[in-house]
Structure formats: C-alpha cells, structure tokens
C-alpha cells in the first residue's frame, strides 16, 4: 500500500499534552522511544513484563512515565489500557529473544515463540485500536525487523513472525481507510544491530555459524527513537520504512 494523506487531518508536531503507549518499554528500542517521547512532551504509558526496569525508567523520566508491568500479548490489557488512557500514539515494540539455532535443532514451541508474543501482541493492540477506535489522527507504529525482508535462518520463526506484524499493520491501515477512521499506521524494519538484546544474540549466532563478518555501521536505539518521532510528526495514512544506520528507506 502506498503512502496516502488522510483528508482534513493536522500533522502531529507538538507532543505536549498528548499520551503515548509503548509496549516493550523497559529495554532496547522501547526504552529509547519512551525517553524520546517524554522529552518531546508526551505522557508515556510503558508496558513490559518485568517491573524493576520499568520503575528504574520511571525514576529517570519522572511522573510523565507511567509503568505497567504486564504481558503485552494479553488481549484484555490492550483493551483496558487504550480505553483508560486514550493515547494518540501507540508504539508496538514488545517481543522476546527466541532460541537461536538452525530449524532442525528447534522444537515447534521454540520455533513459534515469537508468534506467541511479537505477532500476538501486535494483533491484540491493533485490533483494540480499530475497535475502540482511537481518535482520528492517532498513529500506530509497529516495530517489525529487517529479518522480515531477508529472513533469519538462525532465529527460528522470528522473521516470519515479524512479517506477520507487517501484514497486521497493512490490513489495519486498509480497514481504517475503508471505515473512514482517520487512523495512521507505520511499520518500521530496523536492521540487525548488536545494540539490542535480540540483535546481540543473533550477531553471536551468525558469527558462530559462518564466522565473523566485516564491521558495519551500527543502528542505535537513539536513531530508532528519532525516526519514530519523525513518523509521529508526519501525515501519511500508511508507510513502511527499512531503517539502517544510514537512515530510513521507504518501501512499497
């Protein structure tokens, strides 16, 4: 689906007084996205399973960051948070680090772990955003992965799960347009980076499999956070961006 501009919607350029929800907020990309949103003036509701990292982030960011320790893949949580907080920004970043290994060394439970968390949580929150619905002009940013574009033979079903995240986002954008909901959607495909827990595990697995590779520019969580803010400030009804250390590239 090509980018389009919803008629009559004002670009969101000022986050002062707005509310954002970020899943997977306690580490990696989610932590930096939450920090950038608070710095930009938003009140951020951060979701993650483990309470301690969330409370550490709250200590650093102050009362503008509201921690919720819970399973982001829980259907009732998505409905409860979106109904109670009415965000205009929703960043779907939660995920698990899968077991690493070639496909024949994994069980089905290991292979499908990312489907149960990464894809399931994107489905539940996107579904809730459409059914509520969120206010016109709200944006849902789904964090997929560069693995969804190229595959990842050392991380089980991770690449396919992240491809599922992309399709959930495209389907939702089409439904928003069909129903004239005025919601905006974006899917981001960050390159593999050792700056996250998953990226570090995957880099190590590839090195063990095929030997060290040439050093490449590293995509940082801060770069990802800045790009998410750029998307929030845009007006496209739907956009897909591959994201590397050199910057974003629009797909489609």
């Amino acid at each position: 689906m090509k980018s389009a501009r919803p008629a009559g919607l004002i670009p969101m350029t000022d986050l002062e007084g707005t509310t954002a929800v970020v899943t997977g907020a306690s580490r990696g990309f989610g932590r930096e996205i939450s920090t950038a949103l608070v710095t930009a003036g938003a009140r951020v509701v951060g979701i993650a399973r483990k309470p301690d990292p969330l409370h550490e982030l709250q200590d650093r960011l102050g009362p503008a960051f509201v921690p919720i320790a819970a399973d982001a893949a829980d259907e009732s949580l998505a409905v409860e948070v979106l109904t109670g907080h009415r965000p205009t920004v929703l960043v779907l970043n939660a995920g698990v680090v899968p077991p690493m290994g070639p496909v024949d060394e994994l069980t089905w439970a290991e292979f499908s772990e990312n489907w149960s968390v990464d894809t399931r949580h994107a489905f539940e929150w996107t579904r809730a955003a459409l059914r509520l619905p969120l206010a016109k002009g709200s944006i849902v940013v789904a964090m997929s992965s560069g693995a969804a574009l190229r595959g990842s033979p050392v991380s089980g079903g991770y690449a396919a799960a992240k491809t599922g995240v992309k399709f959930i986002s495209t389907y939702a954008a089409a439904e928003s347009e069909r129903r004239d909901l005025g919601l905006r959607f974006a899917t981001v495909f960050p390159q593999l980076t050792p700056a996250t827990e998953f990226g570090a595990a995957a880099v190590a697995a590839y090195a063990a499999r095929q030997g060290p590779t040439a050093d490449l520019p590293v995509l940082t969580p801060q770069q990802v956070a800045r790009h998410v803010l750029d998307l929030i400030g845009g007006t496209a009804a739907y956009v897909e961006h591959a994201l590397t250390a050199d910057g974003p590239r629009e797909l489609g």
Side-chain angles (χ1 to χ4, degrees):
M1 183 187 298
K2 294 291 186 180
S3 296
R5 294 178 184 272
L9 296 183
I10 301 172
M12 188 186 300
T13 56
D14 183 5
L15 299 184
E16 192 69 39
T18 66
T19 296
V21 171
V22 179
T23 65
S26 66
R27 61 183 182 177
F29 294 156
R31 183 180 181 88
E32 289 303 323
I33 292 167
S34 297
T35 299
L37 286 166
V38 168
T39 301
R43 173 179 173 269
V44 176
V45 180
I47 314 291
R49 290 191 182 195
K50 296 181 180 179
D52 289 348
L54 283 175
H55 291 303
E56 290 171 7
L57 189 56
Q58 184 185 40
D59 289 342
R60 183 161 66 86
L61 297 180
F65 181 78
V66 180
I68 297 179
D71 181 359
D74 182 351
E75 173 186 3
S76 61
L77 176 71
V79 174
E80 178 183 343
V81 170
L82 295 189
T83 301
H85 293 277
R86 292 283 178 167
T88 52
V89 175
L90 174 57
V91 181
L92 302 178
N93 173 72
V96 295
V97 179
M100 296 290 168
V103 64
D104 61 312
E105 293 183 4
L106 301 175
T107 65
W108 172 249
E110 292 170 331
F111 184 87
S112 62
E113 190 168 347
N114 292 105
W115 284 94
S116 300
V117 179
D118 304 45
T119 315
R120 172 73 186 273
H121 112 280
F123 170 79
E124 297 295 0
W125 288 84
T126 302
R127 179 174 183 262
L130 288 171
R131 289 170 67 90
L132 190 55
L134 296 181
K136 280 196 173 189
S138 298
I139 184 169
V140 180
V141 180
M143 302 301 295
S144 181
S145 168
L149 306 175
R150 296 178 297 276
S152 178
V154 301
S155 57
Y158 177 81
K162 290 301 190 180
T163 302
V165 170
K166 165 248 174 66
F167 280 114
I168 290 167
S169 191
T170 60
Y171 298 161
E175 285 304 304
S176 174
E177 182 178 5
R178 186 176 70 87
R179 303 179 200 175
D180 193 28
L181 298 180
L183 304 182
R184 298 186 292 131
F185 292 85
T187 308
V188 182
F189 301 81
Q191 74 174 62
L192 182 65
T193 172
T196 67
E197 185 177 350
F198 165 76
V203 167
Y206 277 114
R209 177 187 177 93
Q210 58 198 34
T213 57
D215 290 336
L216 297 173
V218 173
L219 175 67
T220 68
Q222 291 80 10
Q223 286 176 296
V224 174
R226 285 196 297 270
H227 183 60
V228 169
L229 289 187
D230 287 342
L231 290 171
I232 294 169
T235 57
Y238 181 73
V239 68
E240 292 179 354
H241 282 167
L243 187 59
T244 71
D246 295 327
R249 174 173 59 89
E250 186 166 357
L251 305 175

